[in-house]
Amino acid sequence: MRTDEPAGDEGSKGQPGLRADQRGAAPDSPHSPRIPAESLFESILGGFAYHEILFRDGVPFDFRYLFVNTNFERLTGLTGVVGRTITEVLPVLRETDQDLYQIYFRVAQTGVPERFERYVAAMRQWFVISVFSTDPGHFAVLFDNITRQKKIDLTQTFLATTVHSPEAPFLRATARFLSEILGMAYVCIDQIEGDGRIALTLANWAFEGFEDSLTYPLAGTPCGRAVADGFFSLVSGVKAAFPDDPLLRDLPVESYVGILLQSHTGDPLGVIAALGTTPLDDPATAEALLRLVAVRAGAELERLKTEAALFEKTMLLTQSNAELEQFAYVASHDLQTPLRNIILYSQLIEAHNRGRLDAETDEFIDFIVHNGKQMTRLIADLLDYSRINRKKTPLVPLPADEAVRQALINLRMEIDGSDAEIQLAPLPVVLAEYTQLVSLFQNLISNALKYRVPDRRLRIVVTAVRTDSDPWTVSVEDNGVGIEPQYFDKIFHIFQRLFPNDQIEGTGIGLALCRKIIQRFGGRIWVESIPGCGSKFCFTLQDGRAGRPS
């Protein structure tokens, strides 16, 4: 290890090399050593500085600039440093970057070069630095300012790793990040409202904390200029440039940079704005960072706008459906009494005048009674349909076997009249509501009874299967007439029938009712069918037991 003796209480020892007398070198003085290869260092693209160590009582405590090349000032922003100590040039460096002193002192004393990358807090910039020593008590620094690339890298990492969540909204995280990376005290991300003349602040980071959102007119503001031009910046004097902006009047700001946020189709959505309390030191880097962030922030704004529109439509649809269900319930309920009276009095006319009316009149009365009963069934089905979501009974574990047995009891006459063969496999315990589960099975089995092939004995099979990752899949399969593939979805819509009423009676509500019941149970329903061979209606139900059944 090399050691150096102090020349005096606050001096340096040794006068090595050719004494500097060119631009950037210290004037003739006892502290003016010869600078090695000065012309070479003046011509390099990076920054170069040559220093001497200052000692106090034999201990290094500071260093003085002896030579800097032209690029030193360009890369650091520091001027007039030759002949001055670092403490004179950057007084805060000793507090913010104390370890830099130790690195420089160590290289000057040992002669072992070091290379590193670091953020110099006193200058708020990133550098890659090489330190070496050719003379005792002296060291040289070769460096490059990598602040722009480092900030771009950090911004890309932030965008790649930051995800949106209700607890940590992306726009708020972005506002805070931009304040730190740009070194600007105030950052807001605003959404353009209405006809484009108003902005609503969605994320508002100001002086180390979030502030409440606000609405403001864009006219006469720097944000309005950013929206109009796509990008706008002012190195200084923003308050003077926009004297009518009420938001700027009370803010201690000097600089501004802002960028328009757009949708994927180019529609204006919002603006990112940053204001600094000091002049903007690197407008080009600020613009580059904002342009990077604007792509993701624009997509985020578009997502929020789409979600808000979807939520509004969903609420309107929910309200409309509720009103329709209420109307169907009230209308169906209120129609029953007059319809019953029509049927009753038609039958009374028929009974009172039996044998006294001609055949054509009897046929008219039969027509009224028949269609009245059909309307009664339709109203009853409508009432059942409207009650599905009105019924607030919680879902509970139920044996599906019991619901099927009750459905078969309810359909006993139809089953006996069709001579159908019904096979029931063991069924699971599922989460359901009993009355609706019975109605589900009853409608599906009733459909099989209606749509059978006349010269073929009807067979109905009810089974249930389950895989590791799925809920129970229950199926009701028959060997009836089957369904064409183009009708697989249509049959689950209300009032959609495949056969006219004079061929097979029905209301066109049964399968729509089944789908609504399954939706309430949190499952799905579909049909598999081959025309002429039969149909298989499948639906999923959640397991009603805590663990998987054996």
Side-chain angles (χ1 to χ4, degrees):
M1 174 182 289
R2 297 181 339 193
T3 59
D4 302 297
E5 302 270 341
D9 189 29
E10 297 226 356
S12 62
K13 182 177 179 180
Q15 312 293 327
L18 178 66
R19 206 163 68 189
D21 56 4
Q22 297 186 11
R23 182 182 180 278
D28 273 352
S29 73
H31 308 299
S32 300
R34 290 162 42 159
I35 309 301
E38 178 182 309
S39 59
L40 173 65
F41 292 117
E42 186 61 52
S43 65
I44 63 174
L45 295 177
F48 175 78
Y50 190 63
H51 316 77
E52 65 173 340
I53 300 294
L54 302 180
F55 296 83
R56 177 184 292 148
D57 298 329
V59 178
F61 75 96
D62 208 345
F63 57 88
R64 178 184 289 116
Y65 289 95
L66 299 181
F67 171 83
V68 296
N69 69 350
T70 304
N71 283 327
F72 176 92
E73 293 184 2
R74 180 179 64 83
L75 295 174
T76 65
L78 302 176
T79 60
V81 301
V82 175
R84 300 168 64 194
T85 66
I86 188 63
T87 303
E88 294 171 333
V89 175
L90 278 176
V92 298
L93 186 71
R94 191 178 296 275
E95 297 177 8
T96 60
D97 303 272
Q98 175 65 33
D99 56 329
L100 270 179
Y101 284 81
Q102 305 307 319
I103 295 172
Y104 294 158
F105 294 161
R106 181 170 61 247
V107 171
Q109 291 180 313
T110 65
V112 179
E114 296 189 26
R115 178 181 171 85
F116 53 92
E117 177 185 299
R118 68 167 291 135
Y119 176 72
V120 180
M123 303 174 69
R124 296 194 306 178
Q125 297 184 77
W126 286 87
F127 296 92
V128 56
I129 302 172
S130 296
V131 190
F132 61 94
S133 176
T134 58
D135 299 308
H138 295 76
F139 69 93
V141 173
L142 275 170
F143 67 91
D144 196 8
N145 190 321
I146 59 170
T147 301
R148 177 185 173 89
Q149 188 56 51
K150 195 70 178 180
K151 287 185 175 182
I152 289 174
D153 292 345
L154 290 171
T155 301
Q156 290 174 329
T157 300
F158 168 82
L159 295 174
T161 58
T162 304
V163 296
H164 173 83
S165 70
E167 297 77 22
F170 172 77
L171 294 181
R172 286 170 67 92
T174 301
R176 183 171 185 172
F177 171 80
L178 285 175
S179 176
E180 295 172 355
I181 201 77
L182 293 173
M184 302 179 80
Y186 187 99
V187 176
C188 62
I189 303 178
D190 305 336
Q191 178 175 283
I192 298 173
E193 296 282 291
D195 58 1
R197 293 185 292 182
I198 299 295
L200 169 66
T201 299
L202 301 180
N204 191 9
W205 178 264
F207 305 101
E208 303 300 322
F210 286 106
E211 292 191 351
D212 295 336
S213 296
L214 51 89
T215 302
Y216 65 93
L218 285 167
T221 69
C223 288
R225 179 73 178 274
V227 170
D229 297 348
F231 177 83
F232 177 68
S233 66
L234 273 176
V235 173
S236 62
V238 64
K239 295 177 74 170
F242 295 91
D244 297 328
D245 186 341
L247 299 181
L248 293 181
R249 290 173 189 161
D250 299 327
L251 294 178
V253 293
E254 180 67 24
S255 53
Y256 173 90
V257 59
I259 192 168
L260 173 68
L261 301 179
Q262 297 174 291
S263 69
H264 72 284
T265 57
D267 296 325
L269 295 176
V271 62
I272 297 178
L275 295 117
T277 56
T278 58
L280 191 60
D281 56 1
D282 190 354
T285 298
E287 179 177 356
L289 299 183
L290 283 191
R291 291 195 182 280
L292 274 176
V293 173
V295 177
R296 170 77 185 277
E300 188 69 16
L301 270 186
E302 187 169 18
R303 182 188 66 80
L304 292 174
K305 189 175 182 179
T306 301
E307 286 183 355
L310 181 61
F311 178 77
E312 183 179 359
K313 288 181 180 179
T314 301
M315 294 301 295
L316 289 174
L317 184 61
T318 301
Q319 181 181 355
S320 176
N321 286 342
E323 292 172 353
L324 284 173
E325 288 179 0
Q326 177 67 15
F327 171 79
Y329 178 81
V330 172
S332 301
H333 185 273
D334 292 348
L335 281 172
Q336 286 189 97
T337 299
L339 189 58
R340 279 197 298 265
N341 288 335
I342 291 173
I343 296 172
L344 175 62
Y345 279 97
S346 297
Q347 291 174 328
L348 286 175
I349 291 173
E350 181 183 33
H352 184 68
N353 295 284
R354 184 174 293 115
R356 287 188 261 175
L357 301 175
D358 56 40
E360 187 178 28
T361 304
D362 287 340
E363 183 180 345
F364 290 163
I365 294 174
D366 288 343
F367 183 81
I368 293 172
V369 173
H370 174 78
N371 282 277
K373 290 179 179 179
Q374 172 69 12
M375 181 63 77
T376 300
R377 287 193 295 272
L378 179 61
I379 290 173
D381 287 348
L382 270 175
L383 278 171
D384 289 341
Y385 187 82
S386 65
R387 286 189 183 114
I388 297 298
N389 289 335
R390 294 170 61 86
K391 200 166 187 178
K392 301 302 181 183
T393 307
L395 305 183
V396 296
L398 292 172
D401 303 81
E402 293 183 9
V404 174
R405 292 193 195 98
Q406 184 59 53
L408 294 177
I409 291 173
N410 296 344
L411 294 169
R412 180 176 298 169
M413 291 184 60
E414 290 90 338
I415 294 171
D416 292 343
S418 67
D419 190 31
E421 174 192 351
I422 298 179
Q423 301 175 9
L424 300 180
L427 299 180
V429 174
V430 297
L431 280 179
E433 192 275 325
Y434 181 74
T435 304
Q436 292 178 355
L437 188 59
V438 171
S439 177
L440 172 67
F441 282 114
Q442 186 170 323
N443 272 285
L444 293 176
I445 295 172
S446 175
N447 254 25
L449 293 169
K450 287 180 185 177
Y451 296 96
R452 63 184 184 270
V453 177
D455 57 354
R456 180 194 304 162
R457 187 184 182 191
L458 177 64
R459 184 179 69 255
I460 302 173
V461 181
V462 183
T463 59
V465 295
R466 184 185 181 191
T467 62
D468 291 333
S469 58
D470 294 328
W472 285 101
T473 298
V474 182
S475 62
V476 177
E477 185 174 7
D478 64 63
N479 63 342
V481 298
I483 303 168
E484 296 285 348
Q486 63 265 33
Y487 301 120
F488 283 0
D489 180 66
K490 178 181 178 182
I491 58 175
F492 292 104
H493 293 271
I494 194 167
F495 300 135
Q496 299 297 316
R497 305 193 65 228
L498 301 184
F499 294 89
N501 207 52
D502 58 355
Q503 292 185 25
I504 299 178
E505 287 193 356
T507 61
I509 297 177
L511 288 178
L513 181 69
C514 290
R515 183 172 72 166
K516 201 163 189 180
I517 290 172
I518 286 297
Q519 287 174 343
R520 180 172 184 254
F521 291 171
R524 61 189 185 94
I525 186 170
W526 68 97
V527 65
E528 302 168 359
S529 180
I530 299 176
C533 297
S535 301
K536 183 179 181 180
F537 285 88
C538 306
F539 53 91
T540 58
L541 293 170
Q542 297 297 321
D543 188 10
R545 289 178 287 191
R548 176 170 179 167
S550 58

